[in-house]
Amino acid sequence: MTEKQVSAEHHGDHRHRDVNGGWLRPAVFGAMDGLVSNFALIAGMDGGTQSGSKFIVLAGLAGLAAGAFSMAAGEYTSVASQRELARAEIEVERQEIARHPLDEEIELAETYRAKGLDPDLADKVAKQFHTNPEQALDEHVREELGIDPKDLPRPLIAAGSSFVCFAVGAFIPLLPYLLGATTVVPALIMSLTALFAAGAVVSRVTSRSWWYSGLRQLILGGAAAALTYFVGSLVGPGIG
């Protein structure tokens, strides 16, 4: 029988993006959250204090540092817990395969039948996997838990991505004040531009169009800043 080969046009041209939540999700959320939250914080401070006040810079720096560390800690804890849970469930499956290998083989074959495989072929495939306990474990975990046991999310990568991207995003609305701006207008222009650009970049890893994704992020971030500015303008004079 002649071995089938992938065509030259297709070979090496079919790659998928990171959908496991390793670094992309915390990076995107970190950048967006840093930009929106610090933009809103600075807008609120500008609404409640004198424009160009050193307190705006102080609040922006504090928001950047606190948010970046908080996001990193939250991501690390979340991903570490997710990884630990996955490992615990993998160990449960390992023990079941060791204690009841035939039952687990039958269970795997039934899974293949449910996917449309011929019953005899499903039995043969399940039996083939169960000749190697580690291969059998990997296949059961993929089929039953929907995860790849060799590609679990890594807490340090998630935390680092979140920290760096949050800090970068949070620095954008703060930069004009560090350069001597005395009104919120430069921060507003830079932040709204960055929000649109960030949304457009995210569209590269989703099915949304760049303009829809960019406009959506601009509207949401702008609304958050406007509301915070309004609150600051109401509360600030009374506190002062």
Side-chain angles (χ1 to χ4, degrees):
M1 181 183 295
T2 304
E3 183 180 352
K4 294 182 179 180
Q5 294 183 346
V6 176
S7 66
E9 292 81 6
H10 181 79
H11 183 70
D13 192 39
H14 187 67
R15 298 176 182 176
H16 293 286
R17 303 179 180 102
D18 171 22
V19 296
N20 256 354
W23 63 269
L24 181 59
R25 182 187 61 82
V28 170
F29 283 149
M32 293 295 190
D33 196 23
L35 181 54
V36 173
S37 64
N38 224 31
F39 178 33
L41 173 63
I42 288 172
M45 289 294 294
D46 191 275
T49 62
Q50 294 182 353
S51 292
S53 169
K54 61 183 180 181
F55 294 112
I56 297 177
V57 175
L58 178 61
L61 289 172
L64 186 157
F69 284 114
S70 176
M71 284 287 291
E75 277 295 333
Y76 184 90
T77 302
S78 174
V79 174
S81 299
Q82 178 186 353
R83 186 183 178 93
E84 290 162 4
L85 174 61
R87 283 181 165 176
E89 290 301 310
I90 290 172
E91 189 58 32
V92 169
E93 194 63 32
R94 185 192 301 276
Q95 294 175 8
E96 285 299 307
I97 292 173
R99 294 171 182 170
H100 311 287
L102 182 57
D103 292 334
E104 289 294 314
E105 181 181 322
I106 293 172
E107 182 181 289
L108 186 59
E110 290 175 349
T111 300
Y112 293 144
R113 290 193 198 98
K115 288 187 172 184
L117 263 68
D118 179 82
D120 290 338
L121 178 59
D123 290 338
K124 290 178 181 178
V125 173
K127 186 176 186 63
Q128 179 65 39
F129 274 117
H130 271 262
T131 58
N132 184 319
E134 287 302 315
Q135 286 185 346
L137 175 63
D138 288 353
E139 191 65 11
H140 276 276
V141 169
R142 290 190 182 94
E143 293 294 337
E144 297 178 30
L145 302 180
I147 60 176
D148 184 347
K150 293 183 173 62
D151 189 29
L152 297 178
R154 287 168 284 185
L156 286 177
I157 289 180
S161 299
S162 182
F163 180 90
V164 171
C165 292
F166 185 99
V168 171
F171 185 73
I172 292 174
L174 180 61
L175 181 59
Y177 287 97
L178 294 175
L179 295 177
T182 57
T183 70
V184 75
V185 175
L188 176 67
I189 294 173
M190 285 190 65
S191 298
L192 292 180
T193 301
L195 283 167
F196 184 86
V201 169
V202 169
S203 72
R204 298 291 296 175
V205 294
T206 67
S207 60
R208 291 291 188 180
S209 62
W210 65 269
W211 62 266
Y212 176 90
S213 184
L215 189 61
R216 177 178 60 182
Q217 195 59 41
L218 185 151
I219 292 173
L220 292 174
L227 289 172
T228 311
Y229 182 90
F230 178 70
V231 172
S233 64
L234 288 180
V235 177
I239 295 176

